[in-house]
Amino acid sequence: MGGAGVLRSPRIAGRAEERRMLGAAIRAAAEGRPCAVFVHGEAGVGKTRLVRVAADEAAARGVAVLWGRCVRFGAVDSPYGPLISALEGWAESADPRELADVLADVPAAGGLVPSLNAYTSSSAIRLLSVVDALVMAIASHRPAVLVIDDVQWADLASRDALSYLIAGFRSQQLAILTTYRDEELGTGDPIHSWLADLRRMPSVTGLRLDRMTWDETEQQLALLLGDHPHHRLVDDVVLRSDGNPYLSELLLEGITVGDEELPADLPAELRAALLAAWHRLSAPGREVMRALAVAGRPTSIDNLREVAATRGIGPEALTNALVEAVDTGISVAQGTDMCWFRHPLLAEVLYATFVPGEAESVHAAWAKTLESRTATGPDEVQRQGDLALHYEGAHDLESCLEASLRAADLANGIVSRREEAIHLRRAARLWSTVHGPDSAGRADEGDLLERVARANELVGEGEASFAAWSRALELVDERTDPLRASRLRRRWADSAWATGRLSDEAIAEATRAVELSRPYPDSAEYAEALAGLSWRQAWNNEAEPARKHAEEAVLAAERVGSSAALSLAYAARGCADLRNERSDADTATALRSAWKTGDPDVLWRTLVARRNYLLQRGGVAECVEPATEFLRFALDVGALSSAVFAAGVLAKDLLILGRFAESSDVTRQGLALACLPSPSAMVRLSAASLSIRQGNLDVAGMHLQRANELIPALEERLGLVAPPVLAEYLLATGHAEAALDLLSRTLITHIADPRDADEMLMWGARAAADLAESARDRRDGRSLRKTRAQLDDLVALRARLSPPPFEVITSEDLIQPAMRALFTAEVARCTAKTPTSGAWEDAARRCGVAGLRWEEAVASWRWAQALLAERAARAVVAVPLRSAHRFAVEVGAIPLRQQVETLAGLGKIQLGEPSAPTDDEPAAPFRSLTKREQEVLAHLVANRTYAEIAQSLFISEKTVSVHVSNLLHKTGTTSRREVAALAIRLRESSTNADD
């Protein structure tokens, strides 16, 4: 046994709730409510690190920390070892005066703690009572935390001492924290009953520490590597460590922050750590675990028994081997008839112990066993997939291909998209090997590759989808099969865009697709190719060609009558001329036709067209319902890519409308789904914007970095509209100059959608205003002139582009006037044009009417700021300030709330809201009050002035005065302060009575 004093804690990733629970336990103990928390989980999950962080945080608050660690020494026990170690560590670091006081209380301490020999008493002692007395003496001088790490290895005396300490809890300032590995406690281990007895005590709680999530592992890697890791590296680490922090750390051996993935081979230290327990098994136990590793996943004991028999291991030997593996923590039972490794990475390590060719016979044995089984539904999909795996391992590639295709068909039948994609990828990989390079089979291989591409596209496996489209395009002969070639070129270009590859070549590929299908004017391929070309030309601001090709697409689609062709053609025509009122009917028709197809990709494209039409008319709120309906549909049918796209735009729309909680829920849905780069980047941008507004700048930075990894040159990418989000982040982090530079550089790129360019113009004015205010504060005239010139250049650039800035297509559009008003107010702030309160009032009111609640709140804060600078009455300033505060509190916009509260403090303005009268029986002094008098009283309690009350209740100040006089008379009070104080006291006493 042994231990050490508390070291400086390492930074820790995640575990926020667990840290909160431990912190609360320690604070409760400091207040005289002693407790014990048993932190448990598998080896390497971070129990010790979590407790160390909690202990160090407590030590920083003046809490005494005693740290002892149990160590596995085989059969040799050192009584009270971890406790003595903890006390030794405390004695070495304790203040001499505190040490002397404690030892004066416990004269026999030297008989227990060797370093205290100078204080040893000559009288005989009972060690258990001395342990108790010492710990309690330390806790009597100041709050204390006793930590016993790895208690599963504690000697019997130490366990008894812990029981004794816990049983003696009364009002001591003591918290006991222990850790133990629950997977190493075999059946019948005496610690089970010891723990069960302790957990019956009311002051004892257990805290299970699970493996880390993807986000927590990303945080861990960022701490270890010194910067945010690439998302593919995080994917690799999570896949192989399964969220175990210790294994994740070992996997990073030799890895730098610039690496995008892990090497194929595991680090030697990791292999050794995983194999250590396996080497302690008997020979049959080791062989059974190797056979289980070949299975590739949790498997039934009956199947394992058949495979083990081929290795010369009988039923009784198998049972003994499994019991041995479970007791050592290597294997775990899953249900009554399944088993697998406690940590899946061990399967990978054990599989690597086979020499080349050795595993083939084991795979063959597994295949033979599975051939004799039958199943239905998902279980049959899994059986066919396992057969394919083992046929491949046994080098029976023809059987592997057949099983893969059967598994894919079955997966498609039960709408299990990910499994379908996996099996199709394996089939495509094996096809040419099994069938050879014979050109006669190229058409079949091309059909398979198209299916592979579509299946992987659905589930967000963009690289696999792009590779399949590319291979299919290589195989097709444009002369003999031009319609297939046309379709493949169009889909290849779409895939290239979705994976962040294609930009300048998009129109060339779309044009080639049209040329290939033109000889077949009545084909769906021709109509869809024309629609695709029109769409890309519209995005490239080639209005006339876009309209021309859209008209041709509609005519061709009408001839062929295909719902998919009709939806894509009408959507293209609707987008080619969004100003034309026909766009309403076109996009609505497109959406109706798309729902008939049931094709998520077609539906999403037409939904985007409909959304573009609505947005051009300010209909953000109208976009929410169809996007929500589509998101549900996409999730139901397993169309993950389309679902993530929908989540990204829906989250953005909800954020614009100030519906932060709903936006957060949708964002989490999108982030939880692995997907193609473009939709994933879209969700990340929405998540970043939400995080910025709620004050989580580190999280926002992480989302933006991930988006930029997914789509390099993110700010230039059309359709994602990244510059406003990037500018908002730069402003929030104090980099206004970089924000203005970014917007000036990218505005012309995004003129494809004028509304996006106008939003960027507003953000440019906001960045310039921040820079100008800073320059004026520093008396820096040169910077001020430079900023104004930059803004002038940005405004002139936008003015040269068509259509004019903030153009309103229809009177129904309330958003463009609101954006213009915001721009005008920010320009006034930049140029210090006074008074500016009128501009901000106009902006706040227009944003409110348009439903832009976030911008309304920001404008209201700026309006109040301007009013205060113009020395307006406090009652006047309070109106917009309280409005902004209500919104900020409602949605958790911490930075805005802090800015509002700071301004309220400067203006001596109360932000508390009057409580509305209730139907409850009022307290006796207030029973005779009228409803209006109750409303006035609520405003008095909120410390409102007569002017503010008058403005809020739409009455005159004289009328307010009359109501107050009546209040004073009816309640027997003499002043507004006295009646308010009475109301507060009665409310508090009523609340306490209810409690």
Side-chain angles (χ1 to χ4, degrees), residues 835-866:
T836 60
S837 59
W840 284 114
E841 178 181 5
D842 182 54
R845 295 194 187 285
R846 288 185 181 276
C847 288
V849 171
L852 309 182
R853 295 187 67 209
W854 166 258
E855 290 297 349
E856 179 190 8
V858 172
S860 295
W861 163 57
R862 291 292 188 191
W863 177 14
Q865 193 178 51

PDB file of all heavy atoms in Angstrom, residues 835-866:
ATOM      1  N   PRO A 835     -28.658  63.310 -32.757  1.00  0.00           N
ATOM      2  CA  PRO A 835     -28.941  62.175 -31.863  1.00  0.00           C
ATOM      3  C   PRO A 835     -29.162  60.884 -32.659  1.00  0.00           C
ATOM      4  O   PRO A 835     -29.649  60.923 -33.790  1.00  0.00           O
ATOM      5  CB  PRO A 835     -30.213  62.603 -31.153  1.00  0.00           C
ATOM      6  CG  PRO A 835     -30.908  63.473 -32.156  1.00  0.00           C
ATOM      7  CD  PRO A 835     -29.834  64.204 -32.912  1.00  0.00           C
ATOM      8  N   THR A 836     -28.823  59.744 -32.041  1.00  0.00           N
ATOM      9  CA  THR A 836     -29.011  58.448 -32.715  1.00  0.00           C
ATOM     10  C   THR A 836     -30.177  57.667 -32.140  1.00  0.00           C
ATOM     11  O   THR A 836     -30.514  56.606 -32.660  1.00  0.00           O
ATOM     12  CB  THR A 836     -27.731  57.592 -32.599  1.00  0.00           C
ATOM     13  OG1 THR A 836     -27.444  57.378 -31.213  1.00  0.00           O
ATOM     14  CG2 THR A 836     -26.559  58.256 -33.275  1.00  0.00           C
ATOM     15  N   SER A 837     -30.787  58.155 -31.079  1.00  0.00           N
ATOM     16  CA  SER A 837     -31.849  57.376 -30.440  1.00  0.00           C
ATOM     17  C   SER A 837     -33.007  57.132 -31.400  1.00  0.00           C
ATOM     18  O   SER A 837     -33.634  56.072 -31.368  1.00  0.00           O
ATOM     19  CB  SER A 837     -32.349  58.080 -29.177  1.00  0.00           C
ATOM     20  OG  SER A 837     -32.854  59.370 -29.493  1.00  0.00           O
ATOM     21  N   GLY A 838     -33.289  58.109 -32.266  1.00  0.00           N
ATOM     22  CA  GLY A 838     -34.382  57.927 -33.216  1.00  0.00           C
ATOM     23  C   GLY A 838     -34.115  56.793 -34.177  1.00  0.00           C
ATOM     24  O   GLY A 838     -35.017  56.007 -34.506  1.00  0.00           O
ATOM     25  N   ALA A 839     -32.872  56.686 -34.646  1.00  0.00           N
ATOM     26  CA  ALA A 839     -32.517  55.599 -35.567  1.00  0.00           C
ATOM     27  C   ALA A 839     -32.636  54.247 -34.883  1.00  0.00           C
ATOM     28  O   ALA A 839     -33.143  53.273 -35.474  1.00  0.00           O
ATOM     29  CB  ALA A 839     -31.099  55.808 -36.096  1.00  0.00           C
ATOM     30  N   TRP A 840     -32.195  54.188 -33.634  1.00  0.00           N
ATOM     31  CA  TRP A 840     -32.271  52.905 -32.920  1.00  0.00           C
ATOM     32  C   TRP A 840     -33.707  52.563 -32.555  1.00  0.00           C
ATOM     33  O   TRP A 840     -34.096  51.386 -32.552  1.00  0.00           O
ATOM     34  CB  TRP A 840     -31.389  52.930 -31.675  1.00  0.00           C
ATOM     35  CG  TRP A 840     -29.934  52.795 -32.003  1.00  0.00           C
ATOM     36  CD1 TRP A 840     -28.951  53.717 -31.836  1.00  0.00           C
ATOM     37  CD2 TRP A 840     -29.307  51.656 -32.605  1.00  0.00           C
ATOM     38  NE1 TRP A 840     -27.750  53.235 -32.296  1.00  0.00           N
ATOM     39  CE2 TRP A 840     -27.943  51.958 -32.763  1.00  0.00           C
ATOM     40  CE3 TRP A 840     -29.760  50.412 -33.021  1.00  0.00           C
ATOM     41  CZ2 TRP A 840     -27.039  51.068 -33.317  1.00  0.00           C
ATOM     42  CZ3 TRP A 840     -28.857  49.511 -33.574  1.00  0.00           C
ATOM     43  CH2 TRP A 840     -27.510  49.835 -33.722  1.00  0.00           C
ATOM     44  N   GLU A 841     -34.510  53.556 -32.239  1.00  0.00           N
ATOM     45  CA  GLU A 841     -35.923  53.295 -31.966  1.00  0.00           C
ATOM     46  C   GLU A 841     -36.597  52.710 -33.219  1.00  0.00           C
ATOM     47  O   GLU A 841     -37.349  51.737 -33.143  1.00  0.00           O
ATOM     48  CB  GLU A 841     -36.633  54.577 -31.539  1.00  0.00           C
ATOM     49  CG  GLU A 841     -38.129  54.372 -31.283  1.00  0.00           C
ATOM     50  CD  GLU A 841     -38.841  55.657 -30.880  1.00  0.00           C
ATOM     51  OE1 GLU A 841     -38.204  56.729 -30.896  1.00  0.00           O
ATOM     52  OE2 GLU A 841     -40.038  55.577 -30.548  1.00  0.00           O
ATOM     53  N   ASP A 842     -36.298  53.308 -34.363  1.00  0.00           N
ATOM     54  CA  ASP A 842     -36.875  52.822 -35.615  1.00  0.00           C
ATOM     55  C   ASP A 842     -36.433  51.381 -35.881  1.00  0.00           C
ATOM     56  O   ASP A 842     -37.235  50.529 -36.271  1.00  0.00           O
ATOM     57  CB  ASP A 842     -36.445  53.735 -36.765  1.00  0.00           C
ATOM     58  CG  ASP A 842     -37.059  53.308 -38.102  1.00  0.00           C
ATOM     59  OD1 ASP A 842     -38.296  53.171 -38.167  1.00  0.00           O
ATOM     60  OD2 ASP A 842     -36.294  53.111 -39.071  1.00  0.00           O
ATOM     61  N   ALA A 843     -35.150  51.101 -35.641  1.00  0.00           N
ATOM     62  CA  ALA A 843     -34.627  49.751 -35.866  1.00  0.00           C
ATOM     63  C   ALA A 843     -35.295  48.748 -34.927  1.00  0.00           C
ATOM     64  O   ALA A 843     -35.702  47.655 -35.352  1.00  0.00           O
ATOM     65  CB  ALA A 843     -33.119  49.731 -35.672  1.00  0.00           C
ATOM     66  N   ALA A 844     -35.426  49.116 -33.652  1.00  0.00           N
ATOM     67  CA  ALA A 844     -36.035  48.204 -32.680  1.00  0.00           C
ATOM     68  C   ALA A 844     -37.485  47.914 -33.049  1.00  0.00           C
ATOM     69  O   ALA A 844     -37.944  46.761 -33.003  1.00  0.00           O
ATOM     70  CB  ALA A 844     -35.949  48.791 -31.279  1.00  0.00           C
ATOM     71  N   ARG A 845     -38.218  48.947 -33.423  1.00  0.00           N
ATOM     72  CA  ARG A 845     -39.643  48.766 -33.739  1.00  0.00           C
ATOM     73  C   ARG A 845     -39.808  47.931 -35.019  1.00  0.00           C
ATOM     74  O   ARG A 845     -40.670  47.057 -35.100  1.00  0.00           O
ATOM     75  CB  ARG A 845     -40.338  50.111 -33.881  1.00  0.00           C
ATOM     76  CG  ARG A 845     -40.377  50.901 -32.577  1.00  0.00           C
ATOM     77  CD  ARG A 845     -41.363  52.064 -32.644  1.00  0.00           C
ATOM     78  NE  ARG A 845     -41.278  52.914 -31.470  1.00  0.00           N
ATOM     79  CZ  ARG A 845     -41.755  52.611 -30.268  1.00  0.00           C
ATOM     80  NH1 ARG A 845     -42.350  51.444 -30.079  1.00  0.00           N
ATOM     81  NH2 ARG A 845     -41.646  53.458 -29.262  1.00  0.00           N
ATOM     82  N   ARG A 846     -38.986  48.197 -36.017  1.00  0.00           N
ATOM     83  CA  ARG A 846     -39.107  47.433 -37.264  1.00  0.00           C
ATOM     84  C   ARG A 846     -38.712  45.964 -37.054  1.00  0.00           C
ATOM     85  O   ARG A 846     -39.333  45.065 -37.615  1.00  0.00           O
ATOM     86  CB  ARG A 846     -38.248  48.072 -38.358  1.00  0.00           C
ATOM     87  CG  ARG A 846     -38.828  49.392 -38.878  1.00  0.00           C
ATOM     88  CD  ARG A 846     -38.007  49.919 -40.037  1.00  0.00           C
ATOM     89  NE  ARG A 846     -38.527  51.192 -40.524  1.00  0.00           N
ATOM     90  CZ  ARG A 846     -39.520  51.322 -41.387  1.00  0.00           C
ATOM     91  NH1 ARG A 846     -40.124  50.236 -41.859  1.00  0.00           N
ATOM     92  NH2 ARG A 846     -39.926  52.516 -41.790  1.00  0.00           N
ATOM     93  N   CYS A 847     -37.684  45.740 -36.264  1.00  0.00           N
ATOM     94  CA  CYS A 847     -37.291  44.352 -35.970  1.00  0.00           C
ATOM     95  C   CYS A 847     -38.400  43.639 -35.198  1.00  0.00           C
ATOM     96  O   CYS A 847     -38.673  42.455 -35.433  1.00  0.00           O
ATOM     97  CB  CYS A 847     -35.991  44.321 -35.171  1.00  0.00           C
ATOM     98  SG  CYS A 847     -34.523  44.757 -36.134  1.00  0.00           S
ATOM     99  N   GLY A 848     -39.040  44.345 -34.280  1.00  0.00           N
ATOM    100  CA  GLY A 848     -40.124  43.743 -33.523  1.00  0.00           C
ATOM    101  C   GLY A 848     -41.280  43.348 -34.416  1.00  0.00           C
ATOM    102  O   GLY A 848     -41.835  42.243 -34.304  1.00  0.00           O
ATOM    103  N   VAL A 849     -41.670  44.223 -35.330  1.00  0.00           N
ATOM    104  CA  VAL A 849     -42.769  43.939 -36.255  1.00  0.00           C
ATOM    105  C   VAL A 849     -42.409  42.767 -37.177  1.00  0.00           C
ATOM    106  O   VAL A 849     -43.263  41.939 -37.523  1.00  0.00           O
ATOM    107  CB  VAL A 849     -43.113  45.196 -37.088  1.00  0.00           C
ATOM    108  CG1 VAL A 849     -44.104  44.856 -38.192  1.00  0.00           C
ATOM    109  CG2 VAL A 849     -43.683  46.289 -36.191  1.00  0.00           C
ATOM    110  N   ALA A 850     -41.119  42.675 -37.563  1.00  0.00           N
ATOM    111  CA  ALA A 850     -40.678  41.605 -38.466  1.00  0.00           C
ATOM    112  C   ALA A 850     -40.461  40.274 -37.750  1.00  0.00           C
ATOM    113  O   ALA A 850     -40.206  39.262 -38.406  1.00  0.00           O
ATOM    114  CB  ALA A 850     -39.391  42.027 -39.172  1.00  0.00           C
ATOM    115  N   GLY A 851     -40.541  40.278 -36.414  1.00  0.00           N
ATOM    116  CA  GLY A 851     -40.329  39.045 -35.659  1.00  0.00           C
ATOM    117  C   GLY A 851     -38.878  38.716 -35.407  1.00  0.00           C
ATOM    118  O   GLY A 851     -38.551  37.604 -34.981  1.00  0.00           O
ATOM    119  N   LEU A 852     -37.964  39.679 -35.650  1.00  0.00           N
ATOM    120  CA  LEU A 852     -36.527  39.461 -35.431  1.00  0.00           C
ATOM    121  C   LEU A 852     -36.204  39.793 -33.974  1.00  0.00           C
ATOM    122  O   LEU A 852     -35.654  40.850 -33.663  1.00  0.00           O
ATOM    123  CB  LEU A 852     -35.708  40.330 -36.390  1.00  0.00           C
ATOM    124  CG  LEU A 852     -36.078  40.236 -37.874  1.00  0.00           C
ATOM    125  CD1 LEU A 852     -35.158  41.113 -38.721  1.00  0.00           C
ATOM    126  CD2 LEU A 852     -36.019  38.792 -38.346  1.00  0.00           C
ATOM    127  N   ARG A 853     -36.522  38.898 -33.072  1.00  0.00           N
ATOM    128  CA  ARG A 853     -36.480  39.219 -31.646  1.00  0.00           C
ATOM    129  C   ARG A 853     -35.056  39.490 -31.149  1.00  0.00           C
ATOM    130  O   ARG A 853     -34.851  40.328 -30.277  1.00  0.00           O
ATOM    131  CB  ARG A 853     -37.118  38.097 -30.830  1.00  0.00           C
ATOM    132  CG  ARG A 853     -38.610  37.930 -31.094  1.00  0.00           C
ATOM    133  CD  ARG A 853     -39.199  36.917 -30.141  1.00  0.00           C
ATOM    134  NE  ARG A 853     -39.166  37.423 -28.764  1.00  0.00           N
ATOM    135  CZ  ARG A 853     -39.072  36.631 -27.693  1.00  0.00           C
ATOM    136  NH1 ARG A 853     -38.973  35.311 -27.856  1.00  0.00           N
ATOM    137  NH2 ARG A 853     -39.058  37.139 -26.484  1.00  0.00           N
ATOM    138  N   TRP A 854     -34.075  38.751 -31.674  1.00  0.00           N
ATOM    139  CA  TRP A 854     -32.697  38.987 -31.236  1.00  0.00           C
ATOM    140  C   TRP A 854     -32.252  40.388 -31.628  1.00  0.00           C
ATOM    141  O   TRP A 854     -31.755  41.152 -30.789  1.00  0.00           O
ATOM    142  CB  TRP A 854     -31.754  37.947 -31.834  1.00  0.00           C
ATOM    143  CG  TRP A 854     -30.310  38.331 -31.685  1.00  0.00           C
ATOM    144  CD1 TRP A 854     -29.489  38.852 -32.636  1.00  0.00           C
ATOM    145  CD2 TRP A 854     -29.537  38.273 -30.484  1.00  0.00           C
ATOM    146  NE1 TRP A 854     -28.245  39.114 -32.113  1.00  0.00           N
ATOM    147  CE2 TRP A 854     -28.237  38.777 -30.795  1.00  0.00           C
ATOM    148  CE3 TRP A 854     -29.802  37.857 -29.189  1.00  0.00           C
ATOM    149  CZ2 TRP A 854     -27.234  38.852 -29.839  1.00  0.00           C
ATOM    150  CZ3 TRP A 854     -28.788  37.940 -28.226  1.00  0.00           C
ATOM    151  CH2 TRP A 854     -27.523  38.431 -28.566  1.00  0.00           C
ATOM    152  N   GLU A 855     -32.410  40.739 -32.885  1.00  0.00           N
ATOM    153  CA  GLU A 855     -31.997  42.063 -33.334  1.00  0.00           C
ATOM    154  C   GLU A 855     -32.843  43.156 -32.678  1.00  0.00           C
ATOM    155  O   GLU A 855     -32.354  44.264 -32.419  1.00  0.00           O
ATOM    156  CB  GLU A 855     -32.092  42.164 -34.856  1.00  0.00           C
ATOM    157  CG  GLU A 855     -31.050  41.332 -35.600  1.00  0.00           C
ATOM    158  CD  GLU A 855     -29.611  41.767 -35.316  1.00  0.00           C
ATOM    159  OE1 GLU A 855     -29.401  42.832 -34.703  1.00  0.00           O
ATOM    160  OE2 GLU A 855     -28.688  41.034 -35.712  1.00  0.00           O
ATOM    161  N   GLU A 856     -34.102  42.869 -32.371  1.00  0.00           N
ATOM    162  CA  GLU A 856     -34.931  43.830 -31.651  1.00  0.00           C
ATOM    163  C   GLU A 856     -34.331  44.116 -30.274  1.00  0.00           C
ATOM    164  O   GLU A 856     -34.266  45.277 -29.841  1.00  0.00           O
ATOM    165  CB  GLU A 856     -36.351  43.285 -31.492  1.00  0.00           C
ATOM    166  CG  GLU A 856     -37.268  44.231 -30.712  1.00  0.00           C
ATOM    167  CD  GLU A 856     -38.592  43.587 -30.337  1.00  0.00           C
ATOM    168  OE1 GLU A 856     -38.754  42.360 -30.549  1.00  0.00           O
ATOM    169  OE2 GLU A 856     -39.470  44.317 -29.827  1.00  0.00           O
ATOM    170  N   ALA A 857     -33.875  43.060 -29.598  1.00  0.00           N
ATOM    171  CA  ALA A 857     -33.293  43.241 -28.264  1.00  0.00           C
ATOM    172  C   ALA A 857     -31.985  44.026 -28.340  1.00  0.00           C
ATOM    173  O   ALA A 857     -31.722  44.908 -27.514  1.00  0.00           O
ATOM    174  CB  ALA A 857     -33.067  41.885 -27.606  1.00  0.00           C
ATOM    175  N   VAL A 858     -31.139  43.697 -29.333  1.00  0.00           N
ATOM    176  CA  VAL A 858     -29.873  44.425 -29.495  1.00  0.00           C
ATOM    177  C   VAL A 858     -30.153  45.901 -29.792  1.00  0.00           C
ATOM    178  O   VAL A 858     -29.529  46.804 -29.211  1.00  0.00           O
ATOM    179  CB  VAL A 858     -29.027  43.791 -30.615  1.00  0.00           C
ATOM    180  CG1 VAL A 858     -27.804  44.654 -30.929  1.00  0.00           C
ATOM    181  CG2 VAL A 858     -28.583  42.378 -30.219  1.00  0.00           C
ATOM    182  N   ALA A 859     -31.091  46.149 -30.696  1.00  0.00           N
ATOM    183  CA  ALA A 859     -31.433  47.531 -31.042  1.00  0.00           C
ATOM    184  C   ALA A 859     -32.029  48.265 -29.844  1.00  0.00           C
ATOM    185  O   ALA A 859     -31.779  49.462 -29.648  1.00  0.00           O
ATOM    186  CB  ALA A 859     -32.402  47.551 -32.216  1.00  0.00           C
ATOM    187  N   SER A 860     -32.810  47.576 -29.026  1.00  0.00           N
ATOM    188  CA  SER A 860     -33.395  48.197 -27.828  1.00  0.00           C
ATOM    189  C   SER A 860     -32.311  48.600 -26.842  1.00  0.00           C
ATOM    190  O   SER A 860     -32.380  49.666 -26.212  1.00  0.00           O
ATOM    191  CB  SER A 860     -34.384  47.232 -27.169  1.00  0.00           C
ATOM    192  OG  SER A 860     -35.484  46.981 -28.015  1.00  0.00           O
ATOM    193  N   TRP A 861     -31.307  47.743 -26.696  1.00  0.00           N
ATOM    194  CA  TRP A 861     -30.177  48.095 -25.822  1.00  0.00           C
ATOM    195  C   TRP A 861     -29.446  49.326 -26.361  1.00  0.00           C
ATOM    196  O   TRP A 861     -29.148  50.263 -25.607  1.00  0.00           O
ATOM    197  CB  TRP A 861     -29.234  46.891 -25.723  1.00  0.00           C
ATOM    198  CG  TRP A 861     -27.870  47.220 -25.214  1.00  0.00           C
ATOM    199  CD1 TRP A 861     -27.552  47.824 -24.032  1.00  0.00           C
ATOM    200  CD2 TRP A 861     -26.624  46.972 -25.889  1.00  0.00           C
ATOM    201  NE1 TRP A 861     -26.189  47.966 -23.921  1.00  0.00           N
ATOM    202  CE2 TRP A 861     -25.595  47.452 -25.044  1.00  0.00           C
ATOM    203  CE3 TRP A 861     -26.287  46.395 -27.098  1.00  0.00           C
ATOM    204  CZ2 TRP A 861     -24.250  47.366 -25.393  1.00  0.00           C
ATOM    205  CZ3 TRP A 861     -24.948  46.298 -27.435  1.00  0.00           C
ATOM    206  CH2 TRP A 861     -23.953  46.780 -26.603  1.00  0.00           C
ATOM    207  N   ARG A 862     -29.179  49.335 -27.661  1.00  0.00           N
ATOM    208  CA  ARG A 862     -28.511  50.502 -28.258  1.00  0.00           C
ATOM    209  C   ARG A 862     -29.391  51.757 -28.162  1.00  0.00           C
ATOM    210  O   ARG A 862     -28.887  52.874 -27.956  1.00  0.00           O
ATOM    211  CB  ARG A 862     -28.193  50.209 -29.724  1.00  0.00           C
ATOM    212  CG  ARG A 862     -27.110  49.164 -29.941  1.00  0.00           C
ATOM    213  CD  ARG A 862     -25.756  49.671 -29.493  1.00  0.00           C
ATOM    214  NE  ARG A 862     -24.687  48.742 -29.862  1.00  0.00           N
ATOM    215  CZ  ARG A 862     -23.442  48.839 -29.407  1.00  0.00           C
ATOM    216  NH1 ARG A 862     -23.127  49.827 -28.564  1.00  0.00           N
ATOM    217  NH2 ARG A 862     -22.527  47.973 -29.773  1.00  0.00           N
ATOM    218  N   TRP A 863     -30.686  51.578 -28.297  1.00  0.00           N
ATOM    219  CA  TRP A 863     -31.622  52.691 -28.167  1.00  0.00           C
ATOM    220  C   TRP A 863     -31.537  53.293 -26.766  1.00  0.00           C
ATOM    221  O   TRP A 863     -31.416  54.514 -26.602  1.00  0.00           O
ATOM    222  CB  TRP A 863     -33.019  52.162 -28.475  1.00  0.00           C
ATOM    223  CG  TRP A 863     -34.155  53.128 -28.333  1.00  0.00           C
ATOM    224  CD1 TRP A 863     -34.100  54.492 -28.218  1.00  0.00           C
ATOM    225  CD2 TRP A 863     -35.546  52.785 -28.293  1.00  0.00           C
ATOM    226  NE1 TRP A 863     -35.364  55.018 -28.108  1.00  0.00           N
ATOM    227  CE2 TRP A 863     -36.264  53.993 -28.157  1.00  0.00           C
ATOM    228  CE3 TRP A 863     -36.240  51.579 -28.374  1.00  0.00           C
ATOM    229  CZ2 TRP A 863     -37.662  54.021 -28.081  1.00  0.00           C
ATOM    230  CZ3 TRP A 863     -37.624  51.606 -28.314  1.00  0.00           C
ATOM    231  CH2 TRP A 863     -38.319  52.812 -28.165  1.00  0.00           C
ATOM    232  N   ALA A 864     -31.544  52.427 -25.760  1.00  0.00           N
ATOM    233  CA  ALA A 864     -31.425  52.902 -24.375  1.00  0.00           C
ATOM    234  C   ALA A 864     -30.077  53.580 -24.150  1.00  0.00           C
ATOM    235  O   ALA A 864     -29.982  54.609 -23.455  1.00  0.00           O
ATOM    236  CB  ALA A 864     -31.597  51.732 -23.412  1.00  0.00           C
ATOM    237  N   GLN A 865     -29.035  53.019 -24.739  1.00  0.00           N
ATOM    238  CA  GLN A 865     -27.691  53.605 -24.619  1.00  0.00           C
ATOM    239  C   GLN A 865     -27.675  55.015 -25.203  1.00  0.00           C
ATOM    240  O   GLN A 865     -27.126  55.950 -24.595  1.00  0.00           O
ATOM    241  CB  GLN A 865     -26.713  52.685 -25.353  1.00  0.00           C
ATOM    242  CG  GLN A 865     -25.251  52.950 -25.089  1.00  0.00           C
ATOM    243  CD  GLN A 865     -24.376  51.936 -25.827  1.00  0.00           C
ATOM    244  OE1 GLN A 865     -24.537  51.716 -27.031  1.00  0.00           O
ATOM    245  NE2 GLN A 865     -23.463  51.300 -25.108  1.00  0.00           N
ATOM    246  N   ALA A 866     -28.297  55.166 -26.376  1.00  0.00           N
ATOM    247  CA  ALA A 866     -28.348  56.488 -27.008  1.00  0.00           C
ATOM    248  C   ALA A 866     -29.185  57.458 -26.187  1.00  0.00           C
ATOM    249  O   ALA A 866     -28.828  58.630 -26.017  1.00  0.00           O
ATOM    250  CB  ALA A 866     -28.917  56.359 -28.417  1.00  0.00           C
TER     251      ALA A 866
END
